[in-house]
Amino acid sequence: MFWDIKAVKPLSDYRIYVEIEDGRQGVFDMKPYLDRGVFRELRDVHYFNQVGILFGAVTWPHEQDIAPETIIDEMVPVETMPDNVLQTDALR
């Protein structure tokens, strides 16, 4: 689908950079979710960095996921991200 997530990269401060199939790019802040149920596990930075994509949704290994619709509604759009922001080890 045109709203599926096609790329995701963990950033510092519990944010993720996402690219949508339709070409939009943005940064989604996970901090508001970290005290909710299954998302508490994401407070572990090493686990948070294991973010991936499954069936067009942002996911983590223990089946936490964020629907593309939520990401699109809440992300901060960006035209391009500077390369130094997209460092995989941005979270320490």
Side-chain angles (χ1 to χ4, degrees):
M1 294 269 168
F2 65 91
W3 63 78
D4 285 352
I5 305 300
K6 75 172 188 176
V8 63
K9 201 93 157 143
L11 302 174
S12 62
D13 202 25
Y14 299 101
R15 297 171 304 138
I16 55 175
Y17 166 77
V18 295
E19 292 180 13
I20 313 300
E21 283 289 342
D22 66 6
R24 288 181 281 178
Q25 303 171 29
V27 174
F28 182 80
D29 188 355
M30 284 295 301
K31 286 187 300 295
Y33 295 88
L34 297 179
D35 288 325
R36 298 182 187 175
V38 298
F39 295 112
R40 288 185 180 117
E41 188 173 14
L42 301 180
R43 291 184 278 188
D44 177 332
V45 173
H46 299 292
Y47 183 70
F48 182 84
N49 285 337
Q50 296 178 44
V51 64
I53 300 169
L54 184 63
F55 302 118
V58 171
T59 63
W60 283 267
H62 298 157
E63 299 184 11
Q64 295 95 339
D65 62 60
I66 300 286
E69 298 86 1
T70 301
I71 290 178
I72 290 168
D73 286 346
E74 298 179 20
M75 75 179 187
V76 176
V78 295
E79 293 299 318
T80 59
M81 292 293 289
D83 289 339
N84 63 340
V85 174
L86 296 178
Q87 297 299 315
T88 302
D89 63 348
L91 288 171
R92 296 183 182 149

